[in-house]
Amino acid sequence: MQEQIGLLQTPLTDFNKVLPHFSSFKIINFLLFLHLIIGIYHTQLFTVIMFNEELGSPFVIAHSVSFVKSDVHSVAGLLLRVEKDELDAKGSGFHVSLEWVTITEVDKEDNQRYEIFKRRILQGKSVPHYAAIEPDGDGLMIVSYKPFRFMQDEENQLEKKEDGKIADKKRDPVYYWQQSEDDLTVTIHLPQDITKDDIQVQFSPDHIFVALKSQPPLVEGKLCSSIDHESCTWIIRDNSLEISLIKKDEGPMWPELIVGDAQGEFIMDSSQCSAVAERLMHLTSEEMNPNPDKENPPCNAQELEECDIFLEDSTSLCRFDGNTLKITHVVNLGSNQYLFSAVVDPKEMPCFCLRHDIDAILWQPRSDQPDNMWEHIATFNALGYVQASKQDKKFTACPPNYSYAAICECLRRVFIYRQPTPLSTVLYNRKEGRQVGQVAKQLVATLEASDPILGFQATNERLFVLTTKSLFLIKVNTEN
């Protein structure tokens, strides 16, 4: 059955007359204002807000939401930038930043205005496929090839690591210990003028206690294994306390002296080092390449399984908490290729579509359901396979009722794939000899212009295609 598609073309001359009168930063703020107003309109809270703030270098608005908390209206937006990275000498020299800006209503002298409430920045090494703020503004979800991190959290972690390193350098081991197959020797450095009367040493079969009078214990805890406590001794020598512990079971080497204790340092003697080197001798060679002429089997990429390819850089889905700036959920998407996003319900986050084998599955994020945060709401049969064959594809989209999916190429052509619908007549599959109850229709729309396509949007009844010179409206006939 042949279908008809209505096509409407509108020139963009009106926009070309207006935009040259704006400076670059005014355009940025105007577009942000327009985007936020559109977001408010979609959530049925249409109002005009007064906001004027310098937002720095140019950006792309990835997503925005409008919400009310404690009777205070706020608007949050994600600003996407690609910036030069002076510290990245070995990579591309650039990084991607996502600035999460929240503006909140303030009442000053009976004049309602909006001011910036929070500005948080995430950085990564790839442009995100998907980035959206949760409806209540409390979280953020990102699908990306490379991970993103909050810069404030990253700086705090670096400071903690540096402080920890400095503290570790300043802190000397409380004790040193050595062992043989039969016994262990523990050495503790003592302050000046300490006598044996100032020292308390207690042994039990699986416990040790060492302290100076009127001071906290120097060494205390459960031993890694049992000892013959009646045969253990200690002595003061060269301003150090030497403790000799006799192993109850001869032979096994202890991995640590006291269970879970990190205050000591193990010292391996020369004979033990030689024994370890001898045991590892068969794994080493005195020559750099002992057999350079040995033929290596060729690597056949076709023999690799899908799970063997680029595991360290596979695409992941992350959910960030807006208060703690920590990742709460991580999903490794692996071979499930990201295809596109679509707004199904304006009150919810945008859906995202992933390839599953030959099909494409649409997922709806549910931020209010921590145990089931992503809900499967639609399937496009064979779309994963079809889109892979479109070498010139630029955009993919679906309407809110997911009655069809559409693929737009760089120039002119738009492919529309309907969901299966029941047939009014009887149709048989001759090869399989069975009756076919549903058929999924496909059609192609060709634009009457060869200008590059810049944008693509789907609604339940229409497709909008934006080129450099025109805006095309394609009416998709929903009748069978």
Side-chain angles (χ1 to χ4, degrees):
M1 180 182 294
Q2 183 133 20
E3 298 190 51
Q4 295 181 352
I5 299 178
L7 189 64
L8 176 65
Q9 179 179 356
T10 302
L12 300 180
T13 54
D14 294 339
F15 292 97
N16 294 332
K17 291 179 182 178
V18 174
L19 290 181
H21 296 285
F22 287 88
S23 65
S24 59
F25 287 114
K26 286 183 179 179
I27 290 177
I28 290 171
N29 285 334
F30 168 74
L31 292 177
L32 176 61
F33 172 78
L34 180 62
H35 194 275
L36 298 179
I37 288 298
I38 292 174
I40 296 170
Y41 173 76
H42 278 308
T43 55
Q44 300 178 351
L45 293 172
F46 181 75
T47 183
V48 177
I49 63 176
M50 300 298 296
F51 171 72
N52 185 19
E53 187 78 24
E54 182 62 56
L55 296 174
S57 58
F59 53 81
V60 174
I61 302 174
H63 187 239
S64 66
V65 294
S66 171
F67 55 92
V68 177
K69 285 185 177 180
S70 303
D71 296 328
V72 177
H73 179 232
S74 299
V75 179
L78 278 178
L79 314 182
L80 174 66
R81 297 182 178 92
V82 178
E83 301 173 326
K84 191 170 183 59
D85 191 344
E86 302 293 344
L87 301 177
D88 186 12
K90 296 182 180 180
S92 64
F94 292 87
H95 65 249
V96 178
S97 71
L98 276 173
E99 184 173 7
W100 184 359
V101 180
T102 302
I103 61 174
T104 302
E105 181 183 10
V106 293
D107 191 357
K108 291 185 176 180
E109 300 178 355
D110 297 330
N111 184 18
Q112 291 184 338
R113 296 181 58 85
Y114 285 77
E115 294 182 355
I116 291 181
F117 176 65
K118 286 184 181 180
R119 297 182 75 166
R120 294 149 289 183
I121 297 178
L122 299 95
Q123 281 189 4
K125 283 296 183 179
S126 66
V127 177
H129 298 301
Y130 172 96
I133 305 171
E134 295 175 357
D136 56 6
D138 287 338
L140 172 69
M141 294 187 190
I142 297 177
V143 177
S144 62
Y145 182 63
K146 299 286 187 179
F148 275 77
R149 295 180 178 87
F150 276 101
M151 295 309 299
Q152 178 183 349
D153 184 50
E154 189 78 5
E155 292 173 0
N156 292 340
Q157 289 183 3
L158 290 174
E159 290 178 0
K160 290 180 181 178
K161 288 182 179 179
E162 291 298 327
D163 293 341
K165 290 179 180 178
I166 294 173
D168 290 340
K169 289 180 180 178
K170 293 180 178 179
R171 189 187 304 118
D172 292 328
V174 175
Y175 61 89
Y176 300 86
W177 66 288
Q178 295 176 292
Q179 66 174 321
S180 65
E181 294 183 353
D182 305 324
D183 58 15
L184 306 101
T185 301
V186 182
T187 303
I188 303 174
H189 294 299
L190 299 174
Q192 294 289 340
D193 302 328
I194 293 294
T195 65
K196 64 179 183 180
D197 296 331
D198 300 322
I199 300 174
Q200 296 178 352
V201 180
Q202 298 176 5
F203 304 116
S204 68
D206 57 359
H207 193 274
I208 186 173
F209 174 87
V210 180
L212 300 180
K213 284 186 177 179
S214 304
Q215 293 187 21
L218 294 173
V219 178
E220 182 183 19
K222 181 181 179 181
L223 295 170
C224 182
S225 187
S226 299
I227 60 173
D228 183 2
H229 65 286
E230 295 181 352
S231 302
C232 296
T233 59
W234 59 273
I235 188 174
I236 298 177
R237 181 182 298 169
D238 299 330
N239 208 39
S240 295
L241 173 64
E242 289 188 7
I243 303 173
S244 178
L245 304 177
I246 308 302
K247 293 181 178 179
K248 186 173 183 179
D249 299 322
E250 299 181 359
M253 305 300 284
W254 291 14
E256 56 185 347
L257 179 66
I258 299 175
V259 177
D261 184 63
Q263 298 183 90
E265 181 179 326
F266 176 66
I267 300 176
M268 186 179 294
D269 60 31
S270 57
S271 61
Q272 291 174 330
C273 292
S274 301
V276 172
E278 187 175 352
R279 288 198 298 268
L280 298 177
M281 188 65 69
H282 69 286
L283 301 176
T284 63
S285 174
E286 295 180 356
E287 302 177 16
M288 291 294 294
N289 189 1
N291 196 356
D293 298 328
K294 183 178 180 180
E295 183 179 356
N296 294 321
C299 176
N300 185 356
Q302 295 180 350
E303 295 179 356
L304 294 176
E305 296 290 340
E306 192 173 35
C307 60
D308 296 327
I309 304 175
F310 308 122
L311 277 180
E312 67 278 6
D313 288 329
S314 59
T315 302
S316 61
L317 165 62
C318 296
R319 191 262 178 187
F320 294 85
D321 185 275
N323 297 317
T324 64
L325 307 185
K326 303 290 185 181
I327 296 177
T328 60
H329 297 73
V330 179
V331 179
N332 187 350
L333 300 182
S335 60
N336 301 120
Q337 177 189 2
Y338 175 87
L339 299 180
F340 65 91
S341 63
V343 177
V344 171
D345 184 352
K347 297 179 181 179
E348 299 288 346
M349 300 176 69
C351 300
F352 54 86
C353 189
L354 303 178
R355 178 177 179 177
H356 289 252
D357 196 14
I358 65 171
D359 299 329
I361 293 182
L362 196 64
W363 298 91
Q364 174 65 69
R366 304 289 188 188
S367 59
D368 57 343
Q369 302 175 11
D371 297 331
N372 186 24
M373 194 163 284
W374 298 281
E375 179 185 355
H376 171 210
I377 61 171
T379 300
F380 298 100
N381 297 325
L383 182 64
Y385 176 78
V386 169
Q387 62 85 30
S389 65
K390 305 297 182 186
Q391 299 299 321
D392 295 328
K393 69 176 181 295
K394 189 171 184 179
F395 299 103
T396 307
C398 77
N401 63 0
Y402 31 87
S403 58
Y404 66 90
I407 297 176
C408 181
E409 293 188 336
C410 299
L411 299 172
R412 301 193 67 181
R413 292 196 299 178
V414 177
F415 300 87
I416 301 172
Y417 303 93
R418 297 279 182 80
Q419 291 281 28
T421 54
L423 291 172
S424 58
T425 59
V426 178
L427 183 66
Y428 286 91
N429 186 318
R430 293 181 179 180
K431 292 184 177 181
E432 299 181 2
R434 61 180 179 86
Q435 183 176 343
V436 178
Q438 292 183 328
V439 170
K441 299 179 181 180
Q442 305 176 12
L443 51 101
V444 181
T446 303
L447 305 182
E448 298 176 355
S450 299
D451 304 317
I453 295 175
L454 304 179
F456 189 61
Q457 188 67 39
T459 67
N460 292 342
E461 297 180 355
R462 295 174 177 81
L463 280 168
F464 295 86
V465 184
L466 177 67
T467 69
T468 54
K469 296 181 180 179
S470 302
L471 175 63
F472 289 87
L473 188 153
I474 303 174
K475 185 177 180 181
V476 181
N477 188 5
T478 57
E479 296 179 0
N480 292 334

